[in-house]
Amino acid sequence: MKRTILTFAIILTSLSVTTHLQASEESHRKAAGALLNLMNPKELFVSSFSAAFEPTLAQLKNSGQSEENVEKVRAASIEFAKTIANDPEMEKRMEDLYIESFTEK
């Protein structure tokens, strides 16, 4: 009988801890999502990617590529950056990083 009561108590404690952790993680994920929305990471990613890609475009231009070809590459690179920025997995990973790095406070 003591074993049954002890087993039952352990199960209840485990369920309580699991429920608390799930609620805590949901709360953390919600806070991380709110912070990401404030920071507008998609637009920031696209503009940062574009700025980092400019030296490559300058090299293409300096190597003799026409302005038309350079603009095509620029447009394709921006579309590529937008595709990455709008990937739902990217947003989830950013939330995960915020949850790991910061507290809600």
Side-chain angles (χ1 to χ4, degrees):
M1 182 69 169
K2 287 182 182 180
R3 272 193 181 163
T4 304
I5 293 172
L6 182 59
T7 302
F8 187 68
I10 290 171
I11 290 171
L12 283 178
T13 302
S14 175
L15 289 174
S16 174
V17 168
T18 301
T19 302
H20 176 71
L21 289 176
Q22 287 173 343
S24 179
E25 184 173 338
E26 288 174 22
S27 176
H28 292 336
R29 185 158 302 281
K30 186 176 178 181
L35 179 58
L36 282 172
N37 285 335
L38 288 173
M39 296 176 60
N40 199 358
K42 293 176 184 181
E43 186 177 310
L44 180 62
F45 177 81
V46 172
S47 64
S48 297
F49 184 92
S50 297
F53 201 66
E54 280 302 316
T56 302
L57 296 172
Q59 285 180 341
L60 286 174
K61 194 172 185 178
N62 292 338
S63 70
Q65 290 294 322
S66 68
E67 188 65 35
E68 180 183 348
N69 285 344
V70 172
E71 287 305 312
K72 286 180 183 178
V73 173
R74 177 179 281 116
S77 70
I78 291 171
E79 286 306 310
F80 178 68
K82 286 179 181 178
T83 299
I84 293 170
N86 290 311
D87 184 351
E89 185 63 25
M90 174 82 135
E91 186 170 332
K92 182 189 177 305
R93 287 184 180 190
M94 290 181 73
E95 284 179 359
D96 290 344
L97 287 172
Y98 277 48
I99 290 168
E100 290 173 18
S101 302
F102 303 107
T103 64
E104 285 187 56
K105 291 179 185 180

